[in-house]
Each structure stands twice: as C-alpha cells, then as structure tokens.
Amino acid sequence: MWLWIGKTWKPLTQRTTLGPVWVDVVATPTSSSWSFGDGTTINCRGRGTPLTDPSQGLRGSPDCGHVYKTTSAKARGGAYAVTATVTWAISWTGSGNTGGILDPLLLTNTTAYTVKQARSRLVS
C-alpha cells in the first residue's frame, strides 16, 4: 500500500482582528501516523511521496508504505480499519509583541480497507 496525503498537506494561516487587537495563527503539518488494522503502525516524517506512475506501485513507497501479509476476510466486517493521524505544529503571533507555540494538534480519520488477496514474496 503506497501512502501519501494530497493537497491538504500545507500550512494553514488565519488572522483574526478585533479593533486594534490581532492574532495570526499558523498550523503546519509535520508528520503522519498510520495504523493498518492488522497490528502494524508506521510513522512518516512528511506527507509521503505521491504515486504518479502506477507501474512503480509494486516496488513500494520510498518513504511511507505498508504491505499486508493476510487478507481482511477475518477482520470485523471483512475489512481492516485504516487510521491516519496527522500532527500539526501550531504557532501564533499577536499584537503587543505577543506570541507562542501551542500544543501539537492531532487530526485523525479512519476508513475501511478490504484486502482480497495477499501474495507472499521470497526474500534472500
């Protein structure tokens, strides 16, 4: 399984103003964690490398991927629950020479993924 996060992997900024008081907040994605429902979890430093050439898919992702060793037939509902968690670093700057760094924000999404065939591979 070749993993990457698309267009949403970019810093988000927001400015809020009330009279002379203002604050700029910047949230930047820093890492992603993937749980595959088969007991495997991996951490990726960035968004992963997009798969642009389908023929490269069998080689595996260079930085964020997983190989299932069994089908999902025995998993609940016949599918693995794949969970992606993105960690965001958040900083702020405000009027009056203020600013700081907030605790990281973790955003999580889970989806069902059916594995119908698992192939073994000999490795020397």
Side-chain angles (χ1 to χ4, degrees):
M1 176 180 275
W2 194 303
L3 306 164
W4 74 94
I5 298 172
K7 297 177 183 180
T8 58
W9 192 272
K10 62 183 176 184
L12 302 174
T13 61
Q14 176 67 44
R15 174 174 272 230
T16 301
T17 304
L18 180 61
V21 179
W22 58 270
V23 64
D24 288 330
V25 178
V26 178
T28 304
T30 59
S31 64
S32 61
S33 173
W34 299 79
S35 175
F36 297 97
D38 65 351
T40 305
T41 299
I42 63 168
N43 296 307
C44 303
R45 281 194 232 163
R47 71 183 200 118
T49 301
L51 177 62
T52 56
D53 179 1
S55 69
Q56 298 296 312
L58 294 177
R59 292 185 182 168
S61 170
D63 55 0
C64 193
H66 175 64
V67 176
Y68 282 98
K69 298 192 183 336
T70 60
T71 69
S72 59
K74 293 182 181 179
R76 176 179 280 167
Y80 290 119
V82 178
T83 301
T85 301
V86 176
T87 301
W88 294 76
I90 303 172
S91 62
W92 65 278
T93 306
S95 54
N97 245 357
T98 59
I101 297 174
L102 302 177
D103 290 338
L105 174 67
L106 283 77
L107 296 178
T108 300
N109 193 18
T110 301
T111 190
Y113 185 75
T114 302
V115 177
K116 293 184 179 183
Q117 181 179 18
R119 294 183 186 177
S120 60
R121 181 171 47 171
L122 294 175
V123 178
S124 61

